[in-house]
Amino acid sequence: MNRKRWVALAIAAVLLIISVLVEVIGALVSDEAGRWSDSWLAMMEAPFSEEVVQDGDPLKKIAVLEVNGVIEDAGEAEGFLSSPLYHHQTFLRMIEQAQEDEDVKAIVLRINSPGGGVAESAEIHDQLLKLKKKTNKPIYVSMGAMAASGGYYIATAGDKIFASPETITGSIGVIMQSVNYEKLAKKYGVELVTIKSGPYKDLMNPARSMTEAERDILQRLINNSYEAFVDVVANGRKLPENVVRKLADGRIYDGRQAKSLHLIDEFGYFDDVIAALKREHHLKGAQVVKYATDTPWSSLFGLASARIKPDSGTLEIARLLSRPSSPRLMYLYAE
């Protein structure tokens, strides 16, 4: 075999080795990239993360679930740079996670809310009771500046409720509101044309006065939801129904009044609640974690969103446009 053939064979061998190496490296890189991509997608799709609040034993955790803002289900869709205070479906997933995680030994429900929808408040309360029944995990409630109406409704699922003397709570009752612009419409010659299939299809029509029959229909709905509220307070706080009815006239109470009326158990802030849980449920050295809704995008777009500061008029318009037009039953202290 002459020299040229030896050179050709050597070149072919080198090319073959290079080809094999490229294939192997490509496969490894592709596999690693796939795993990284899957991990990133999983992180992006996760509705919330788990943040360590206090170091401790990760096999013995206290999970903190926060309810901030109005308790209302706005659906799955959210603005790209929005950071809503409360997202109902995500919060329900948090309850599910706290239930399924065997390392979670207790839950702190941290509430700073004026309440919200009747249906949403009832759903949270129901899921918390199911969690306790299935797992026997204690739930302690830590009230913030406000835990009123629907905020108090969900608090009654707790085994023990803590608040500060200045906390605003109570507001046990139901409300449904609408705007009537009949006189204004007549003044400017505006007429709302309505075609309906039945006499009560346009209940709370803002362009006309409400009839007594319509008011009676809506009052029955209010009364049904009110009875449900009275029941959860009586059962959750172990109070006689007649006592609850005297308290449940819609008024608010501060923490001092609430404690004297047995609507809460003790004065205390968040750290006091954690300390009580550890002391009363043999959780010394437990790790405290918080379920947070921050996503990876927040670090990328936090600066940009911080620079977007719409004026109060723009915010009010956005708020009104985002709200459903139909009046609804609410366990709500204030707009």
Side-chain angles (χ1 to χ4, degrees):
M1 186 178 295
N2 59 34
R3 183 180 177 182
K4 289 184 178 181
R5 289 185 177 183
W6 281 111
V7 171
L9 285 173
I11 292 173
V14 170
L15 291 175
L16 178 62
I17 292 171
I18 292 173
S19 177
V20 171
L21 288 173
V22 168
E23 288 291 331
V24 171
I25 293 172
L28 290 174
V29 171
S30 176
D31 185 56
E32 185 65 28
R35 285 197 296 268
W36 183 89
S37 177
D38 292 341
S39 176
W40 174 255
L41 287 173
M43 181 173 61
M44 290 299 298
E45 292 173 357
F48 57 90
S49 60
E50 186 177 286
E51 298 179 0
V52 176
V53 177
Q54 290 182 14
D55 289 328
D57 184 356
L59 300 180
K60 190 168 60 174
K61 295 188 292 189
I62 297 173
V64 180
L65 280 62
E66 295 186 329
V67 176
N68 288 309
V70 177
I71 304 169
E72 193 169 20
D73 190 354
E76 293 291 344
E78 296 181 23
F80 189 65
L81 290 179
S82 66
S83 56
L85 292 175
Y86 176 80
H87 189 271
H88 187 62
Q89 296 305 320
T90 299
F91 188 75
L92 294 178
R93 294 190 189 106
M94 290 179 180
I95 297 175
E96 182 180 5
Q97 174 65 20
Q99 175 178 299
E100 294 179 352
D101 189 345
E102 295 182 356
D103 295 331
V104 172
K105 308 302 181 183
I107 293 96
V108 172
L109 181 62
R110 200 173 185 184
I111 305 171
N112 188 22
S113 170
V118 164
E120 293 92 334
S121 301
E123 186 173 18
I124 292 173
H125 183 269
D126 183 61
Q127 293 303 313
L128 291 172
L129 291 185
K130 287 180 178 178
L131 182 152
K132 289 204 302 182
K133 183 177 181 180
K134 184 175 180 180
T135 66
N136 290 319
K137 296 177 181 180
I139 299 176
Y140 277 23
V141 176
S142 175
M143 290 183 171
M146 179 179 291
S149 205
Y152 186 72
Y153 188 107
I154 65 175
T156 61
D159 298 290
K160 186 174 285 190
I161 300 176
F162 292 73
S164 77
E166 291 77 25
T167 295
I168 296 298
T169 187
S171 188
I172 302 170
V174 195
I175 190 170
M176 175 183 275
Q177 290 181 311
S178 180
V179 175
N180 183 281
Y181 52 75
E182 180 182 11
K183 294 180 180 179
L184 182 66
K186 287 180 179 179
K187 179 178 179 179
Y188 290 97
V190 177
E191 180 182 1
L192 179 65
V193 178
T194 303
I195 301 172
K196 54 187 179 180
S197 59
Y200 304 118
K201 185 59 181 173
D202 64 336
L203 276 172
M204 298 187 81
N205 185 331
R208 64 172 178 80
S209 299
M210 184 182 296
T211 68
E212 287 303 316
E214 291 172 330
R215 187 176 294 276
D216 181 64
I217 290 172
L218 295 174
Q219 188 62 55
R220 289 173 184 269
L221 295 178
I222 293 288
N223 292 345
N224 287 339
S225 295
Y226 174 78
E227 292 298 327
F229 206 155
V230 170
D231 285 343
V232 300
V233 175
N235 293 329
R237 300 301 302 161
K238 297 178 174 57
L239 293 171
E241 182 181 311
N242 64 317
V243 172
V244 175
R245 289 187 184 278
K246 291 178 181 178
L247 304 176
D249 58 4
R251 76 181 69 184
I252 57 173
Y253 302 100
D254 65 19
R256 301 174 187 84
Q257 295 170 316
K259 190 172 187 299
S260 67
L261 296 170
H262 306 291
L263 293 176
I264 69 169
D265 295 291
E266 295 184 24
F267 293 140
Y269 298 94
F270 176 68
D271 289 341
D272 301 312
V273 178
I274 296 295
L277 256 180
K278 290 182 177 181
R279 181 177 63 254
E280 296 169 7
H281 291 275
H282 309 290
L283 292 171
K284 184 178 179 180
Q287 183 184 72
V288 181
V289 298
K290 180 179 73 172
Y291 293 161
T293 55
D294 292 340
T295 65
W297 291 115
S298 60
S299 60
L300 294 175
F301 297 103
L303 181 59
S305 61
R307 291 179 178 176
I308 301 174
K309 296 181 179 178
D311 57 40
S312 58
T314 303
L315 288 173
E316 180 65 14
I317 291 172
R319 186 183 70 84
L320 291 173
L321 290 176
S322 65
R323 291 181 58 186
S325 58
S326 303
R328 51 182 308 220
L329 295 167
M330 303 290 283
Y331 293 138
L332 186 65
Y333 164 55
E335 286 291 321

